[in-house]
Amino acid sequence: MEKRTIEKILKYNFSEKQIEEMKKSWIINGCGWKWWVNFSDIIEANLNSFKNFEKAKLSALWNDIELLCHEHDLDYFFKKWFTYSNFVFALWVFRLIKNWTKLWERITLFLVIFFLLQKYWKKYYK
């Protein structure tokens, strides 16, 4: 059985219990700050602008992106090179959406994600 794209990308592959424990400990928080810059809304708007994007698959895709956000949050927690961590996360999403987007759409989303992380999350990394 062939692995799903997300299974090929994940490096930690947390269990649900691990995710809940890390959320309780504020080690991870997911994909955005609802009370500040809403990362989730910005990424969703970009995805919805892509011609071949199947809106019915948004929920499943977002679940996969959340898993990537958890891994990115853990890298932040352990201070694994701010710019590199942001680049890797943007690259993970780039790879995740490969099968149903055009190259320029993936590059656009990669740049949006990388820019947002670099600009708005620097103060939380320190």
Side-chain angles (χ1 to χ4, degrees):
M1 182 176 191
E2 187 175 336
K3 286 184 174 183
R4 292 180 54 229
T5 303
I6 188 66
E7 293 168 340
K8 295 175 188 175
I9 296 170
L10 293 173
K11 62 181 179 179
Y12 301 124
N13 206 9
F14 302 127
S15 69
E16 286 297 318
K17 183 177 179 171
Q18 289 172 310
I19 290 170
E20 288 307 312
E21 289 299 317
M22 286 187 285
K23 281 183 177 181
K24 287 178 189 173
S25 302
W26 284 95
I27 294 171
I28 63 173
N29 65 9
C31 286
W33 292 73
K34 293 179 180 140
W35 53 87
W36 190 45
V37 174
N38 196 319
F39 183 78
S40 304
D41 286 348
I42 294 168
I43 300 309
E44 185 177 336
N46 275 270
L47 290 170
N48 283 321
S49 72
F50 298 158
K51 183 179 179 184
N52 294 329
F53 177 66
E54 294 180 41
K55 290 167 183 44
K57 293 186 177 184
L58 179 61
S59 179
L61 174 62
W62 197 256
N63 288 338
D64 289 347
I65 291 174
E66 279 282 333
L67 294 173
L68 296 174
C69 288
H70 297 324
E71 295 203 352
H72 181 252
D73 287 350
L74 186 65
D75 284 348
Y76 265 33
F77 181 77
F78 288 119
K79 306 271 191 245
K80 290 189 175 181
W81 311 287
F82 180 76
T83 300
Y84 179 74
S85 293
N86 293 337
F87 178 84
V88 167
F89 177 75
L91 189 61
W92 288 338
V93 175
F94 179 92
R95 289 180 55 206
L96 185 64
I97 64 174
K98 180 181 179 186
N99 292 329
W100 49 268
T101 55
K102 295 177 181 166
L103 178 61
W104 69 268
E105 292 171 329
R106 290 191 304 276
I107 291 170
T108 299
L109 191 57
F110 171 89
L111 292 172
V112 166
I113 290 171
F114 185 69
F115 171 78
L116 289 172
L117 291 172
Q118 288 293 106
K119 180 170 174 67
Y120 293 108
W121 274 261
K122 184 78 169 180
K123 70 180 179 177
Y124 295 103
Y125 190 75
K126 296 177 183 180

